[in-house]
Amino acid sequence: MTVREIVEVHPQQSKIDLEVLLRCVDACVECAATCVSCADASLGEEKDRDELIRCIRLSLDGADVCEATGRVATRLTEPDFQLIAATVEACAVACRVCREECERHAEHHEHCRRTAAVCLVCEQACTDLLAALG
Amino acid sequence: MTVREIVEVHPQQSKIDLEVLLRCVDACVECAATCVSCADASLGEEKDRDELIRCIRLSLDGADVCEATGRVATRLTEPDFQLIAATVEACAVACRVCREECERHAEHHEHCRRTAAVCLVCEQACTDLLAALG
Amino acid sequence: MTVREIVEVHPQQSKIDLEVLLRCVDACVECAATCVSCADASLGEEKDRDELIRCIRLSLDGADVCEATGRVATRLTEPDFQLIAATVEACAVACRVCREECERHAEHHEHCRRTAAVCLVCEQACTDLLAALG
Amino acid sequence: MTVREIVEVHPQQSKIDLEVLLRCVDACVECAATCVSCADASLGEEKDRDELIRCIRLSLDGADVCEATGRVATRLTEPDFQLIAATVEACAVACRVCREECERHAEHHEHCRRTAAVCLVCEQACTDLLAALG
């Protein structure tokens, strides 16, 4: 992703391990897009839709929280680490909750199986960034 | 706001005190829009811009986190209260941090003074919702 | 809304009629929040859900386009009027399409009736801003 | 990106050439993230900041419009092609305008050079999708 290239030439230095940070940014951007797509695929499941309502709702939440977290984590100029940590923490929770619901439908719906995997990566990237933030 | 009217006729019941919830939704939507505007006004301050960089950055963060939180808190269908609480908690932190920075410029920049007031309302509305969530 | 107060003290002057601009910003912010809520209420309609899928999808689109347009229209510093006009034009289309679908369900679903009314206000506010942009 | 994998197993068929659609979705997601990062890097340029104000503002616009367009283009369930076309059209304009400004700073700021390249890809992907939409 190009954010990585921009961060490499960014005029401000980061106190955070850039590799851990960039993995989180990348995971948030990917997970937000995936959640938008999974909510839409679930909405389009004519037969099984009624069982996927919780999955749709949590994917919509996941998309919104991941998108905001990706933006906040991307910014290196004048960061506030309390704000970043609280946002990344919320993102880890959103990804876990969305993943757990997607896993319940993974056997019958391939899009849920793939979204669960992406949520797990993002949850882990958020947890790693939280550890790096101390 | 119309969200209040929609929530009154919403097919799903909420376990959360609706008045507390709606005050948080309203505050998040208002604070997101205000932060977008304050970041832009600060960016347009030709003479004092260099002192407002932290204010711009935290307003951009505040806009993103408030917007996502307003969306998450609005949804009543199949809510996950851990996810909602973590997001609202992040929003309270974002509003506090943005408010503290805006307050530092409130004497010289009326837009910062007004944004600080809106952030305070949102921070309090988030704290109240967190208390209601238990 | 506080954006109005900030615009009044904004360091940059606007070439656009501020009253027309602010009515569009206000309508976009209100319509985005309303669309988020209507999509969620429709998702929660257990009996009639299958008839509301197009309504949910267009409300999700409406929320996203109105939110982006509200942000773009709010910014007064270094505006590009071609960009603003194209975005406001897309918003007018999104509001019209969402309104037309909501109107089809207005008799049976009060939340659709209210959302249609909000979409109409936003569509008109966007059309007025486009006229002012020339 | 995982959206591609989800679209392959999506329950609803698309009338649009999926390859053209997915290239646009991918470009929008990448361009939104890049614009967030470029706005932040420009904000952090202590010496040259005053020359980058228009670049910052147009990157903020680009981020918002690309993000909304990426979401709208991702959804395959009950699409409205007028809405999609108007949004993609706005995105093409936003990318062109942001690219032209970034190009003016490309020689002195590597992050602007890279962002201009990403904007060009997104502008082209939007133009291609518009052609496919007919």
Side-chain angles (χ1 to χ4, degrees), chain D residues 43-132:
Chain D
L43 195 65
E45 292 286 358
E46 282 162 27
K47 260 188 7 200
D48 299 346
R49 188 180 290 137
D50 288 354
E51 299 154 28
L52 291 165
I53 301 308
R54 184 169 162 79
C55 188
I56 294 171
R57 189 256 150 88
L58 294 177
S59 297
L60 295 176
D61 286 354
D64 295 336
V65 175
C66 286
E67 208 167 81
T69 305
R71 283 173 166 238
V72 167
T74 295
R75 296 182 184 116
L76 301 185
T77 299
E78 295 284 356
D80 181 279
F81 294 110
Q82 276 197 295
L83 191 166
I84 295 172
T87 306
V88 171
E89 171 71 37
C91 194
V93 174
C95 289
R96 176 177 55 76
V97 167
C98 184
R99 170 182 62 76
E100 286 168 355
E101 182 62 26
C102 280
E103 281 170 355
R104 296 185 53 233
H105 309 284
E107 211 178 323
H108 294 95
H109 297 291
E110 179 66 11
H111 50 83
C112 289
R113 198 181 65 74
R114 295 179 180 194
T115 302
V118 173
C119 285
L120 181 60
V121 169
C122 194
E123 184 186 346
Q124 190 59 54
C126 287
T127 307
D128 292 347
L129 180 52
L130 282 171

Side-chain angles (χ1 to χ4, degrees), chain C residues 4-118:
Chain C
R4 180 174 293 268
E5 297 175 26
I6 291 177
V7 164
E8 279 165 10
V9 299
H10 198 289
Q12 301 287 323
Q13 293 215 301
S14 174
K15 287 179 191 163
I16 316 175
D17 180 328
L18 276 184
E19 190 54 38
V20 175
L21 183 75
L22 284 166
R23 251 186 284 136
C24 184
V25 169
D26 200 15
C28 286
V29 169
E30 169 81 351
C31 197
T34 301
C35 283
V36 169
S37 190
C38 190
D40 175 69
S42 296
L43 195 66
E45 294 286 356
E46 283 162 28
K47 259 187 7 201
D48 298 347
R49 187 180 291 135
D50 288 354
E51 298 154 29
L52 292 164
I53 300 309
R54 184 168 162 79
C55 187
I56 293 172
R57 190 256 151 89
L58 295 176
S59 296
L60 294 176
D61 286 354
D64 294 336
V65 176
C66 286
E67 210 167 80
T69 305
R71 283 174 168 237
V72 167
T74 295
R75 297 183 183 115
L76 302 185
T77 299
E78 295 284 357
D80 181 278
F81 294 111
Q82 275 197 295
L83 190 166
I84 295 172
T87 307
V88 171
E89 171 70 37
C91 195
V93 174
C95 289
R96 176 175 56 74
V97 167
C98 185
R99 169 182 62 74
E100 286 169 354
E101 181 62 25
C102 280
E103 282 171 353
R104 294 186 56 233
H105 308 284
E107 213 179 320
H108 294 97
H109 296 291
E110 180 64 12
H111 51 82
C112 289
R113 197 182 65 74
R114 294 179 181 193
T115 301
V118 173

